[in-house]
Each structure stands twice: as structure tokens, then as C-alpha cells.
């Protein structure tokens, strides 16, 4: 778990907590995101743009400072996703792709369709296509598009296309359809249009959700 001032891990087998702080070599102060990659390493993102990578096999910490040292004004890391050997980083200025083994950045997307450059990205889903949730709406990779740095490689959707809010938070695939959480409930994308999903959650901020089989586990206000 990531938190302000450090991180902690709970081992269910032993019922023990392990904590990570600055004194342990953790560089990020206010942690905002966490994920475990395919090699079992834990990645922590922070408000400052610092990425710490914790290797549980030898209790070592490595730091990635590319975003922290960049000339971006807002560097907050909002979300990680792990796909194969790639870590997808959603930030206050776009989406970056990092090689999980070399820690090298190999692409960054700053502009999606007609959305302003450096739009805040809250999370990114990669399932065949890229689905990017931003403060301006949802950006979806056009099928067959390869140069994702080009704005025209993305279809974008906002209030004008039927979303309940431009502030979209997270995307998921539920029973074969794309659903997106917002600060005003859920929306479902089908037949190239958006519609209300789970009506009793309309106008409610959906902080997070996880899809498990035919169920959706929801954290809301």
C-alpha cells in the first residue's frame, strides 16, 4: 500500500507488516500509486514524479528520476499498469511507457485527439487497444494506429458524446463492454455511444473499482 510518508506491506501467511520509509532508501515522499510487475518488483509513484522500485527478493530499492528531472510543471504519477515487460505510467501530463527490466522510457504520449496537450491522465488500460481516462474525457486508440504520439491516432469522447462528466477516472472491460468510472457515476460504451451504467450510482464519485468475473467491486464516496 502507498501512502503519504511511506509504504507498507502485509504478509497474510505470517500476519506481519513491512514498512518502507526514507530511512530505508525510499525517495518518493507522498506516494500516489503502486503496482507489482511480472518479476515481483513493487513500483511506487509519487506526487513529485519520483518512481521507486522495490525488489522483495533482496530488499533493495532503485529510483527512476526521469519524470522528476523533466521540465514538466505537474509531475504527479496517478496510476501504473503492468502489461508484459512494460509499465504504463499515467501522469499529470500524459502517458509514459517504461521497460520494466531496463527502466528506460521508450515512449510518451502528450496529446490525445483534440484534447489539450499535457492533459492530466488519471489511469490507462491496455487491452488490445489503449484506453486513457483523463480530466477532459476518454481517449481510445484507433484500431491499427501505431504512432500513438500523433494526436490523430486517438478517438476522444467527452460530455458532448454522452459521458456523464469529462473527469473520467478508470476504464475496465466488463462482460465484453467498456465501462468507465467518473466523478459522476459510471458510463458504458457500446455501438460507438455512451450510456448510463448502474443508475443508482449516478452523480457519485467512483474512486476505484475492480472487475471480478460477473461482479464489480466499487470504492465510492
Amino acid at each position: 500500500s502507498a501512502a503519504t510518508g511511506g509504504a507498507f506491506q502485509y504478509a497474510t501467511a505470517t500476519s506481519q507488516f513491512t514498512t518502507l520509509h526514507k530511512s530505508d532508501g525510499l525517495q518518493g515522499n507522498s506516494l500516489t500509486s503502486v503496482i507489482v510487475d511480472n518479476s515481483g518488483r513493487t513500483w511506487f509513484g509519487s506526487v513529485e514524479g519520483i518512481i521507486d522500485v522495490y525488489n522483495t527478493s533482496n530488499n533493495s530499492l532503485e529510483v527512476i528520476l526521469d519524470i522528476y528531472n523533466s521540465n514538466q510543471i505537474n509531475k504527479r504519477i496517478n496510476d501504473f499498469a503492468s502489461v508484459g515487460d512494460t509499465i504504463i505510467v499515467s501522469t499529470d501530463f500524459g502517458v509514459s511507457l517504461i521497460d520494466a527490466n531496463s527502466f528506460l522510457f521508450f515512449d510518451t504520449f502528450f496529446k490525445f485527439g483534440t484534447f489539450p496537450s499535457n492533459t492530466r491522465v488519471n489511469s490507462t488500460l491496455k487491452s488490445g487497444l489503449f484506453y486513457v481516462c483523463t480530466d477532459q474525457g476518454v481517449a481510445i486508440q484507433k484500431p491499427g494506429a501505431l504512432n500513438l504520439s500523433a494526436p490523430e491516432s486517438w478517438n476522444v469522447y467527452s460530455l458532448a458524446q454522452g459521458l456523464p462528466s469529462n473527469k473520467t477516472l478508470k476504464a475496465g472491460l466488463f462482460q465484453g463492454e467498456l465501462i468507465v468510472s467518473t466523478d459522476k457515476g459510471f458510463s458504458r460504451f457500446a455501438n460507438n455511444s455512451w450510456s448510463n451504467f448502474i443508475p443508482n450510482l449516478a452523480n457519485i464519485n467512483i474512486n476505484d473499482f475492480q472487475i471480478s468475473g460477473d461482479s464489480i467491486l466499487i470504492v465510492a464516496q
Side-chain angles (χ1 to χ4, degrees):
S1 176
T4 300
F8 68 89
Q9 179 186 49
Y10 176 70
T12 55
T14 60
S15 298
Q16 290 183 328
F17 284 97
T18 302
T19 58
L20 288 173
H21 300 289
K22 294 283 283 187
S23 59
D24 302 302
L26 194 70
Q27 298 296 304
N29 287 320
S30 298
L31 303 183
T32 54
S33 49
V34 60
I35 200 168
V36 178
D37 68 17
N38 285 350
S39 298
R41 293 166 298 204
T42 305
W43 295 59
F44 299 102
S46 72
V47 168
E48 309 94 337
I50 295 172
I51 298 174
D52 288 288
V53 185
Y54 177 58
N55 191 333
T56 54
S57 64
N58 58 12
N59 293 324
S60 65
L61 274 162
E62 298 188 64
V63 63
I64 302 173
L65 296 174
D66 299 60
I67 294 175
Y68 176 76
N69 288 330
S70 73
N71 60 4
Q72 297 295 328
I73 297 173
N74 300 311
K75 306 177 183 184
R76 188 182 196 273
I77 295 169
N78 299 314
D79 186 57
F80 288 124
S82 178
V83 179
D85 290 328
T86 300
I87 301 296
I88 303 170
V89 189
S90 300
T91 70
D92 268 7
F93 59 84
V95 176
S96 291
L97 307 181
I98 304 177
D99 186 302
N101 298 310
S102 68
F103 298 166
L104 295 177
F105 286 66
F106 61 89
D107 218 339
T108 297
F109 317 135
F110 298 104
K111 183 168 174 57
F112 307 95
T114 56
F115 290 168
S117 296
N118 301 122
T119 290
R120 174 188 167 111
V121 175
N122 297 307
S123 69
T124 304
L125 169 69
K126 174 70 164 66
S127 181
L129 302 175
F130 279 90
Y131 303 88
V132 182
C133 292
T134 82
D135 277 1
Q136 298 290 324
V138 179
I140 302 177
Q141 175 191 356
K142 292 180 179 179
L146 300 177
N147 179 19
L148 300 188
S149 297
E152 61 268 21
S153 293
W154 301 87
N155 289 318
V156 293
Y157 306 89
S158 57
L159 272 167
Q161 287 75 44
L163 284 170
S165 171
N166 285 339
K167 189 174 181 64
T168 57
L169 303 174
K170 185 174 181 178
L173 295 174
F174 180 64
Q175 297 180 343
E177 292 183 335
L178 177 68
I179 61 171
V180 167
S181 64
T182 77
D183 63 345
K184 294 182 179 178
F186 276 101
S187 192
R188 174 169 50 194
F189 189 61
N191 300 318
N192 206 39
S193 65
W194 295 92
S195 60
N196 192 19
F197 182 61
I198 314 182
N200 61 329
L201 291 178
N203 296 315
I204 291 178
N205 187 75
I206 309 298
N207 296 312
D208 197 8
F209 71 92
Q210 295 291 331
I211 294 170
S212 178
D214 61 355
S215 299
I216 305 174
L217 312 177
I218 298 167
V219 178
Q221 66 191 34

